[in-house]
Amino acid sequence: MIGRLNHVAIVVADLAAASEVYRHTLGARVSEPVELPEHGVTTVFVELPNTKIELLHPLGADSPISGFLHKHPAGAIHHLCYEVADIGAAAETLRKRGMRILGDGKPKLGAHDKPVLFLHPKDFCGTLIELEQL
Ligand code: CO
C-alpha cells in the first residue's frame, strides 16, 4: 500500500537556526519559510536526493504542534510521511484493518496541496504517520 518516504517532519524551536544547520552545516538545499495558517505551522523544506525533511514551527496561538514543542523543547521528530497512490482506498483498507485515522477521517489538503491523512501513533509503533496522495 505505502510507497516512498515523502518526508520526515521535525518540530524545531527556531526555524532560522534549524535552516542554518541544514543549509550551512549539512550543505542541503533549504527552502524559505512558508506560513500555513490553516494548519497552524510554518514550514521549511529541506530537499535531499531521496526524500525531504520538513522543519515545522508552531504558527498562531492554537497550533496543533505547540504542545509537542513544549514537551520537546530541543526539537524532535514529529511524523513520517509515506506516499500512497489512492488515499481514499488506503483509508478504507486501514479502517477495515482496525486502524485509527485522526480527525474526521477525511483527507485534507496538506503542505504541498495534496490530500493527506494522519494515522494514530498507537497503531503504528509509536509513530505519527502521514499519508500523502501524489
Ligand atoms: Co508532513
Side-chain angles (χ1 to χ4, degrees):
M1 178 194 306
I2 61 169
R4 286 160 45 100
L5 175 67
N6 184 274
H7 61 267
V8 176
I10 306 174
V11 172
V12 301
D14 182 335
L15 266 184
S19 297
E20 271 295 297
V21 166
Y22 275 89
R23 186 180 287 123
H24 291 115
T25 311
L26 294 172
R29 207 147 59 106
V30 176
S31 79
E32 291 307 310
V34 179
E35 293 191 353
L36 300 170
E38 67 278 18
H39 293 282
V41 297
T42 303
T43 65
V44 165
F45 270 93
V46 180
E47 299 275 348
L48 302 181
N50 62 340
T51 191
K52 292 180 286 243
I53 307 296
E54 182 182 74
L55 304 174
L56 297 175
H57 187 76
L59 176 66
D62 35 50
S63 168
I65 59 169
S66 294
F68 186 88
L69 184 58
H70 192 72
K71 261 187 249 161
H72 306 279
I77 292 180
H78 183 262
H79 64 268
L80 304 180
C81 177
Y82 300 125
E83 297 175 358
V84 293
D86 181 337
I87 202 160
E92 197 178 312
T93 301
L94 289 167
R95 243 182 245 115
K96 278 190 195 139
R97 293 176 182 168
M99 302 291 113
R100 287 168 284 183
I101 296 168
L102 299 186
D104 63 7
K106 298 203 175 70
K108 292 198 171 52
L109 286 187
H112 319 104
D113 282 331
K114 307 246 168 69
V116 302
L117 279 177
F118 285 90
L119 307 177
H120 202 297
K122 288 199 174 138
D123 295 338
F124 294 94
C125 319
T127 311
L128 178 61
I129 303 287
E130 178 180 19
L131 298 181
E132 181 175 299
Q133 178 176 301
L134 281 204

